[in-house]
Amino acid sequence: MDVRIIFEATFENGTTRKRPLGRFSRPFRSTQPEGFGMLLEDAKSMLWPLQQEILLDQIQQISVASRVCPECSRARAIHDYRTRVPDTLFGRFQVKAPRIRRCACNAKSDAALGGPLSPLTRFFPDRSTSELRRLQAELGARHSLREAARIMEIFLPCAKQVNTSLRNRFGKIAREINDSEYAESAVSSAGKSAAPLPVFLDGAHIRS
Ligand SMILES: [Zn+2]
């Protein structure tokens, strides 16, 4: 048996786009227990191009929609294209994204707001998807950071998880949680206590 995976996207205007994503085979006569059904490696090799296709289409849609000025509905000019490297659970991708010039209809506030707009920034804060950061935080809280990185790489076609960058991201998330909790408690206790210090411990298995 040969399996061919085809990606098909249907857009709001009714147009569709099809792309072959990949294929794998399961020859009937040579099927072994370890070749039964879809394998982890098959899934990982499919998820990477699938994520890429979805991302590229979404970025294209966001870029087109962002050109429309919310004030006067005219199309805003593209200032330039910048390379962005969004990091996701299913891989890290290099994409070109436009920066949009602010509309002349709003010249006064434009001067105050600054340069061209980057429509993708709000979708990839910290250059990563929220789902990736959430899983890194969850696994990092349950395991040593090195082990968390290893688990992610076993199951996902994500980019190489360097435990030091995982630690930095984990620390950043801890600070964000701390800041949001402190902000809530500060409202109720009207500044009676000092800001708590966030602490996290990275465990490790030591042989012998
Ligand atoms: Zn305008």
Side-chain angles (χ1 to χ4, degrees):
M1 176 176 65
D2 282 315
V3 179
R4 194 154 67 102
I5 312 286
I6 295 169
F7 168 85
E8 181 178 326
T10 303
F11 301 98
E12 280 79 356
N13 61 8
T15 58
T16 58
R17 190 171 72 83
K18 265 189 190 181
R19 282 270 183 87
L21 272 194
R23 61 198 311 160
F24 58 89
S25 64
R26 292 288 178 275
F28 167 68
R29 294 188 190 284
S30 59
T31 298
Q32 299 294 319
E34 60 271 20
F36 198 69
M38 190 170 174
L39 305 179
L40 179 60
E41 283 311 310
D42 298 325
K44 284 170 76 173
S45 68
M46 298 293 163
L47 283 172
W48 194 93
L50 176 60
Q51 178 74 306
Q52 186 181 42
E53 294 296 334
I54 293 172
L55 268 184
L56 290 176
D57 281 343
Q58 279 190 307
I59 289 170
Q60 170 71 11
Q61 285 186 303
I62 291 166
S63 303
V64 169
S66 304
R67 289 193 62 189
V68 180
C69 172
E71 304 289 332
C72 68
S73 301
R74 280 185 295 190
R76 296 181 287 191
I78 292 175
H79 182 74
D80 59 7
Y81 283 86
R82 289 286 169 99
T83 302
R84 307 282 178 215
V85 189
D87 203 3
T88 79
L89 271 184
F90 308 121
R92 188 178 290 157
F93 303 87
Q94 194 162 309
V95 297
K96 288 268 184 207
R99 292 195 303 164
I100 313 290
R101 282 193 189 152
R102 292 172 193 274
C103 186
C105 77
N106 202 9
K108 278 187 183 171
S109 58
D110 285 347
L113 290 170
L117 300 157
S118 296
L120 283 190
T121 308
R122 77 184 178 94
F123 295 97
F124 302 111
D126 203 19
R127 297 181 196 140
S128 57
T129 56
S130 54
E131 191 181 31
L132 173 69
R133 293 196 303 277
R134 193 159 54 242
L135 190 67
Q136 286 173 326
E138 175 153 1
L139 291 176
R142 294 172 189 275
H143 306 278
S144 74
L145 296 178
R146 198 178 294 272
E147 183 65 5
R150 197 181 73 84
I151 292 170
M152 289 186 69
E153 285 177 18
I154 288 175
F155 292 106
L156 296 165
C158 55
K160 183 164 177 57
Q161 301 290 297
V162 182
N163 66 310
T164 48
S165 38
L166 210 62
R167 181 191 64 205
N168 294 340
R169 186 162 280 163
F170 194 54
K172 195 173 175 195
I173 291 167
R175 279 194 298 278
E176 284 168 4
I177 293 170
N178 185 64
D179 289 347
S180 62
E181 287 184 352
Y182 177 65
E184 282 173 20
S185 66
V187 171
S188 57
S189 62
K192 282 178 191 164
S193 58
L197 179 69
V199 175
F200 63 89
L201 305 174
D202 183 14
H205 176 75
I206 300 170
R207 288 178 198 276
S208 308

